[in-house]
Amino acid sequence: MALLPVGIRFIISFSRDQWYRAFIFMLTFLLYASFHLSRKPISIVKGELHKQCTAGDGPESPFSDPSSSTRHGPTHWLLNNETDCGWAPFDKNNYQQLLGALDYAFLC
C-alpha cells in the first residue's frame, strides 16, 4: 500500500475536538474583525450615503470669470444632478427604505 502524501497525513492527524477548536477560533476571529471594521457610527455613514444636494451645493468652477460671477451670482456645477448627491443605490427615490434595511442589518 502506498503512503499518503504529507499534507493528507497532517490533516488526518487532527482529532475532531481539534477541528472544532480551530473552527471556533476562526469564527471568533472573523466576527471580531467584522465588528472592528464596522466601528464607525451608522448615523455618520448614513449621512454620507445619501446627501441632500441642490444645484447650489457644488464647488465653484475654477474657470469662471470673477466679474461674471459677481454679476450673476456664483457659478456652481454638478456632474449629474440625479446621481452626484450620494452613493448608488442610495441616490434613488427609495433611499429611506434602503437606509432602514441597513439599520435593521446592523441591529441584527
Side-chain angles (χ1 to χ4, degrees), residues 48-59:
E48 289 296 319
L49 290 176
H50 179 78
K51 295 181 181 179
Q52 298 292 337
C53 293
T54 59
D57 286 346

Side-chain angles (χ1 to χ4, degrees), residues 37-57:
L37 290 174
S38 67
R39 282 177 41 188
K40 186 172 251 191
I42 190 68
S43 60
I44 294 172
V45 173
K46 284 177 20 179
E48 289 296 319
L49 290 176
H50 179 78
K51 295 181 181 179
Q52 298 292 337
C53 293
T54 59
D57 286 346

Side-chain angles (χ1 to χ4, degrees), residues 13-28:
S13 69
F14 292 113
S15 69
R16 188 177 202 166
D17 188 44
Q18 290 173 328
W19 280 111
Y20 285 139
R21 288 181 183 184
F23 175 73
I24 295 299
F25 174 74
M26 292 304 296
L27 184 65
T28 304

